[in-house]
Amino acid sequence: MIYLDNNATTAVAPEVLDAMLPFLREEYFNPSSMYEAAKPAKHAIDNARKTVADMFGAAQASEVLFTSCATESVNTAIFGATRANPNRKHIITTAVEHPAVIESCRELERVGYEVTYLGVDRQGNLSLGEFVRSLRPDTLMVAIMHANNETGVVFPIERLARVVKETDPNIVFFCDATQTVTKLPIRMDGNFRNVDILACSGHKFHAPKGVGILYLRRGTRCRTFMIGGHQEFGRRGGTENVAFIVGIAKAMEIAAATHDADMKRIARLRDELEQEIVRRIPYVEINGAGTERMANTLNVAIHFIEGEGILYQLSEKNICASSGSACTSGSLEPSHVLSAMGVPFTAKHGSVRFSLSRYTTETEIDFVLQEFPTIVDHLRRLSPYWNYAEQKPRAATLITEGGQ
Ligand code: PLP
């Protein structure tokens, strides 16, 4: 099986599993218990928190909170900050955020908040001018992702957060860094010094599903979202998931140790995949090309065929990838990210995302390159938009911007 869907989730690293297992077997105690037997569990959480804090360059370990996933961290950030700052009712985000952010904003709109959804250009970039103009005296929060999960396009968080703090230091800057933690540099004492809250999920970097991180800078006004016991300094109730907390810290440690070599190799494989697809298949384009993108992500638009058909055929060849569109309530909705970028109708329905990890091999990429053009060729033979005999679109078919 060839797994190229690492932006969806990743394999748990063997070293991570080894580090976790003792806390699922013999060290099963509740870390809050007073007796001696529970001490190793408590120490393991303290150590994990310190490791993560060091990796992020956090001023204090207590700025790092463990949650169940990025979605929980996002919800805590957005609803926690709004409840702590009741006098402001305006939020700025982008049209290409993950549903965890977009749906949270929509929920706030239903109770009277105003949300600005910044658009992006054809490359997936934000306009800095439009961003600056959207800041208002009643802006409570800016919620912008570090890199997009579908296209890998990276937003200039350092610059955006600086502009926000120079304009009004009371605006909370929240960054969903779910796709970039361990892949791109993130230092809360460096490039992210103006970011107040950050969210991520362990399963995107070889820790298991079910554990996330919420970085909450000291002094940031944000109310507790998960109300309960005194765990996580009283900021997130619920008995700690000790083994998974150990796992997420271990995964960050391993990623840091091999980061440079891994990212170089991943970038080389992704570039090879991209260049060869463009060379071997006519009428394809790279979504997000020409802008800063994560090295592991390739979102390729194949004009005149359906992404679902491509994924099915790839799956028949034991290749796991993902499509730009999501199947919602029986109808095939195009991706909101590609729609926001104005990707033409004939391409956004045929977009496929390949996302690599440090376990991706050259042989796997070679196999995909061998199979993919044949799959596209086969599907185009069946496409009403494609003139198979002449290997070009039918005369009546226009590649139109945006619209349905
Ligand atoms: N934010 C981004 C950018 C993501 O890519 C994802 C998951 O794909 C999430 C948030 C939500 O992560 P989780 O499902 O682990 O809560």
Side-chain angles (χ1 to χ4, degrees):
M1 194 260 294
I2 295 175
Y3 186 71
L4 293 178
D5 199 15
N6 288 280
N7 286 10
T9 197
T10 57
V12 174
E15 305 91 320
V16 168
L17 184 62
D18 287 346
M20 288 168 53
L21 281 176
F23 298 93
L24 292 168
R25 289 187 179 131
E26 54 274 19
E27 306 292 352
Y28 55 82
F29 307 98
N30 189 321
S32 299
S33 297
M34 291 302 291
Y35 36 80
E36 253 337 276
K39 294 277 157 47
K42 167 90 174 64
H43 288 150
I45 295 176
D46 292 346
N47 289 339
R49 198 184 312 281
K50 181 152 185 350
T51 301
V52 175
D54 286 348
M55 298 272 160
F56 279 144
Q60 299 179 355
S62 58
E63 292 177 328
V64 173
L65 305 180
F66 294 109
T67 64
S68 64
C69 59
T71 301
E72 184 195 324
S73 300
V74 167
N75 273 259
T76 306
I78 294 179
F79 294 106
T82 47
R83 285 173 54 218
N85 299 277
N87 296 330
R88 295 186 177 212
K89 299 282 182 196
H90 176 236
I91 293 169
I92 298 169
T93 187
T94 80
V96 297
E97 299 295 309
H98 186 273
V101 171
I102 293 205
E103 292 305 319
S104 294
C105 288
R106 295 234 185 278
E107 182 62 20
L108 286 173
E109 282 182 293
R110 284 189 272 275
V111 294
Y113 283 80
E114 225 185 298
V115 181
T116 301
Y117 299 91
L118 296 169
V120 293
D121 65 15
R122 188 70 172 77
Q123 277 71 46
N125 293 311
L126 290 170
S127 147
L128 190 62
E130 194 188 337
F131 175 69
V132 172
R133 284 192 296 280
S134 69
L135 293 165
R136 304 191 329 206
D138 66 335
T139 302
L140 149 69
M141 168 181 257
V142 171
I144 297 193
M145 67 199 329
H146 193 189
N148 189 272
N149 42 304
E150 290 190 27
T151 59
V153 169
V154 179
F155 285 148
I157 295 300
E158 180 171 9
R159 202 158 161 212
L160 299 174
R162 193 180 63 235
V163 168
V164 167
K165 293 298 172 180
E166 281 169 3
T167 308
D168 179 353
N170 290 322
I171 298 175
V172 177
F173 196 102
F174 163 56
C175 180
D176 174 3
T178 304
Q179 289 296 340
T180 55
V181 165
T182 74
K183 299 186 190 90
L184 294 181
I186 294 178
R187 293 289 300 184
M188 308 316 302
D189 57 352
N191 59 339
F192 272 48
R193 65 190 163 283
N194 289 312
V195 172
D196 301 303
I197 314 181
L198 175 139
C200 72
S201 231
H203 70 103
K204 307 291 184 183
F205 50 88
H206 306 291
K209 286 164 265 303
V211 60
I213 293 170
L214 176 71
Y215 167 86
L216 194 53
R217 191 179 291 281
R218 195 167 68 111
T220 304
R221 287 161 59 83
C222 184
R223 295 281 296 277
T224 300
F225 181 68
M226 190 84 94
I227 295 170
H230 58 273
Q231 294 91 349
E232 302 294 293
F233 316 102
R235 313 205 74 162
R236 195 268 183 186
T239 302
E240 300 91 334
N241 189 346
V242 184
F244 285 43
I245 290 171
V246 167
I248 199 169
K250 183 74 181 174
M252 281 184 76
E253 233 172 12
I254 298 172
T258 57
H259 174 272
D260 292 355
D262 284 345
M263 293 320 287
K264 216 165 134 187
R265 206 178 57 80
I266 289 169
R268 186 176 55 74
L269 292 178
R270 192 280 308 266
D271 289 348
E272 182 190 332
L273 183 63
E274 176 171 326
Q275 283 154 16
E276 285 303 305
I277 285 176
V278 171
R279 196 175 68 79
R280 296 184 198 185
I281 306 175
Y283 293 96
V284 300
E285 57 190 294
I286 306 303
N287 293 318
T291 192
E292 189 188 346
R293 270 183 302 153
M294 283 201 302
N296 80 319
T297 306
L298 170 60
N299 190 312
V300 56
I302 317 286
H303 284 273
F304 314 116
I305 47 178
E306 286 286 344
E308 275 65 30
I310 305 171
L311 294 186
Y312 178 77
Q313 300 266 325
L314 284 169
S315 171
E316 292 277 288
K317 298 284 177 192
N318 264 334
I319 300 167
C320 306
S322 109
S323 121
S325 59
C327 187
T328 346
S329 54
S331 68
L332 290 174
E333 292 287 329
S335 140
H336 71 288
V337 175
L338 301 183
S339 293
M341 290 165 69
V343 172
F345 175 75
T346 51
K348 73 183 168 193
H349 283 272
S351 289
V352 175
R353 179 188 72 187
F354 296 103
S355 46
L356 288 62
S357 82
R358 66 165 174 268
Y359 298 127
T360 307
T361 65
E362 181 98 47
T363 318
E364 291 176 328
I365 296 299
D366 287 346
F367 184 72
V368 174
L369 283 170
Q370 177 192 310
E371 298 298 331
F372 195 53
T374 317
I375 289 172
V376 171
D377 194 56
H378 171 73
L379 290 170
R380 278 187 173 159
R381 185 187 279 268
L382 308 172
S383 168
Y385 300 113
W386 185 251
N387 181 335
Y388 191 77
E390 294 180 29
Q391 286 293 302
K392 62 177 197 188
R394 288 196 184 280
T397 306
L398 292 174
I399 300 178
T400 48
E401 289 293 313
Q404 301 290 311

